[in-house]
Amino acid sequence: MWPASICIAAAYIPGNIKRVLKHPMLVGVKTWAFAHLCANGDLGGIVLFGSVLAWAVYDRITLKRRKDAGAPPIPVGGAKNDIIAIVIGTIIYLALGFVFHPLVVGVPAFATPALGH
């Protein structure tokens, strides 16, 4: 999930990551959905994460086939922006794992070692 968070941050902080991945937001969404699909084998998880993954794959395919990409190209920064994206992506990852996931989902994202057992 850490790489997914970095990809999402890189979508908003254009650098070499964005230049190489072209659509880092979709890469992040596909990584997130695939990881959750592997971790959740129940029907609800399969429907939710499978449909998000299918949408992201479909969207990427349609982006490749479009003649007009729509918006003008975004100026791409260099390694400095990549470092910023990695730092912000890491902060997002930790906030999602330690705060959001247990609070909203009700399941801890990080396993805690059993103390004294």
Side-chain angles (χ1 to χ4, degrees), residues 32-68:
W32 171 84
F34 181 73
H36 279 80
L37 192 58
C38 291
N40 299 293
D42 61 330
L43 180 60
I46 292 170
V47 170
L48 175 65
F49 303 118
S51 61
V52 171
L53 179 60
W55 165 80
V57 168
Y58 173 78
D59 196 30
R60 184 63 180 112
I61 290 169
T62 60
L63 280 170
K64 284 183 178 182
R65 294 184 179 186
R66 290 181 194 164
K67 291 179 183 165
D68 179 22

Side-chain angles (χ1 to χ4, degrees), residues 27-115:
V27 173
V29 169
K30 288 189 284 187
T31 304
W32 171 84
F34 181 73
H36 279 80
L37 192 58
C38 291
N40 299 293
D42 61 330
L43 180 60
I46 292 170
V47 170
L48 175 65
F49 303 118
S51 61
V52 171
L53 179 60
W55 165 80
V57 168
Y58 173 78
D59 196 30
R60 184 63 180 112
I61 290 169
T62 60
L63 280 170
K64 284 183 178 182
R65 294 184 179 186
R66 290 181 194 164
K67 291 179 183 165
D68 179 22
I74 298 171
V76 176
K80 179 182 173 188
N81 283 5
D82 290 338
I83 292 169
I84 294 169
I86 290 169
V87 169
I88 291 176
T90 301
I91 292 168
I92 292 169
Y93 170 72
L94 294 172
L96 288 172
F98 284 115
V99 178
F100 176 82
H101 212 277
L103 186 66
V104 175
V105 180
V107 178
F110 303 116
T112 56
L115 300 174

